[in-house]
Amino acid sequence: MAMRGVDFKWYDGFFLSMLATSVIIVAINWKRYQSCHFPLHIWIVVDYTTVFIFRVFMFVDNGLAAGLGL
């Protein structure tokens, strides 16, 4: 799906595939993370969410900059 002003690069697809793979692995092994002394499972969720939101913001920012001719 092509949108005007949005430039979806190969590394965006690679990043999303790696994020999806990591989410699946964490979901499968979720019970193992419950036995950690420190709340590793919470850190993983927060880290993945932060990275995903950052990439979405970068994608939107690049699209807006391209639309403005910057």
Side-chain angles (χ1 to χ4, degrees):
M1 171 171 54
M3 295 187 306
R4 191 178 140 235
V6 175
D7 191 18
F8 190 78
K9 301 286 188 187
W10 67 269
Y11 48 81
D12 291 323
F14 177 75
F15 166 76
L16 290 175
S17 67
M18 294 306 294
L19 185 64
T21 303
S22 297
V23 167
I24 291 169
I25 290 171
V26 168
I28 290 171
N29 296 312
W30 189 258
K31 292 288 185 190
R32 283 190 194 170
Y33 297 129
Q34 297 286 349
S35 64
C36 291
H37 180 67
F38 298 105
L40 179 64
H41 61 289
I42 294 172
W43 182 87
I44 291 171
V45 169
V46 170
D47 181 56
Y48 285 175
T49 303
T50 304
V51 169
F52 180 74
I53 290 171
F54 174 75
R55 290 299 297 164
V56 168
F57 283 155
M58 291 296 295
F59 186 70
V60 170
D61 183 48
N62 289 340
L64 290 174
L68 295 174
L70 300 175

